[in-house]
Amino acid sequence: MNLIFLGSPGSGKGTLAKLLSSALGVPHISPGDILREEVKQNSELGHMALPIMKKGDLVPDEIILKMMKKRITQADCLGGFILDGFPRNRAQAIGLDEMLSGLDRSVIWTLQFEVSDECALKRLGGRRICSVCGADFNLFTKPPKNSDICDICGGKLLQRADDTDEVILNRLKVYRQETLPLEEYYKRQGKLIRINGELEAEVRLTEALKALGK
Ligand code: AMP
């Protein structure tokens, strides 16, 4: 099942993508995660992307499309995938459709997660990620027992560099201008499923599975 997750930063799509990926047994593919790994590895791609990511702007389409093609054509994607954070504009959506049709495949469903800006700001501002095991916490909704220590492995909890107020506001603006129009793109194709992103993660998972007929 080839799925796209559409939603603003802070809509909880990453959390749900991880849960649904385990439930359906298909890989969770996040270009943001791939880019952060490239930055960590100090690669050429990481060097190019870092200043753009720090501002909350979009990395150029040609680079993202090439990166995603490389990932989607790997063997573990044959049974389907969840794309979390791609496509993020019309050019990427068209590029994805062309890429998939070249592989005799297509987008099956686009799940859109809707949240208020207030909810998104709270989720992103409170988000802390373990620097060792990658576990997610939130100072407001899922607080760690000790403020900057991971409950699971004892690693140090960090705030993402682009989770600051100024960058969050730009990311929300970029989402509204570039990504939100994709709602119409997939609606016209009869592929859009809307889910209330403000529900608890487990409830969102149940809703998503029900909507997908699972
Ligand atoms: P995310 O982890 O999805 O919040 O993405 C973090 C950052 O990576 C974004 O703010 C962009 O700078 C970059 N990025 C992630 N996905 C894309 C994409 N599909 N197109 C362009 N830039 C992206």
Side-chain angles (χ1 to χ4, degrees), residues 9 13 30-33 35-36 49 52-61 64 67-68 84-89 92 124 127 160 162-163 167 171:
K13 62 182 172 17
S30 151
D33 284 349
L35 290 169
R36 278 184 289 278
I52 302 173
M53 294 169 78
K54 271 189 170 164
K55 285 192 278 176
D57 290 333
L58 295 185
V59 172
D61 295 336
I64 295 288
M67 191 178 94
M68 295 309 280
D84 161 22
F86 172 81
R88 252 169 152 111
N89 60 24
Q92 292 184 10
L124 294 172
R127 176 159 67 182
R160 251 172 65 170
D162 58 354
D163 277 346
V167 182
R171 287 160 65 204

Side-chain angles (χ1 to χ4, degrees), residues 18 23-24 26 37 40 43 63 66 85 114 122-123 154 163 167 172 178 182 187 192 196 208:
K18 282 184 200 137
L24 298 178
V26 296
E37 190 52 37
K40 235 197 228 168
S43 71
I63 292 169
K66 198 168 147 200
E114 298 174 303
K122 196 169 158 189
R123 281 192 181 150
D163 277 346
V167 182
L172 289 172
E178 302 277 333
L182 296 184
K187 197 169 141 197
L192 192 77
N196 178 353

Side-chain angles (χ1 to χ4, degrees), residues 9 116-126 140 165 168-169 172:
S116 63
D117 278 5
E118 196 191 354
C119 172
L121 282 164
K122 196 169 158 189
R123 281 192 181 150
L124 294 172
F140 309 113
D165 285 353
I168 291 172
L169 289 176
L172 289 172

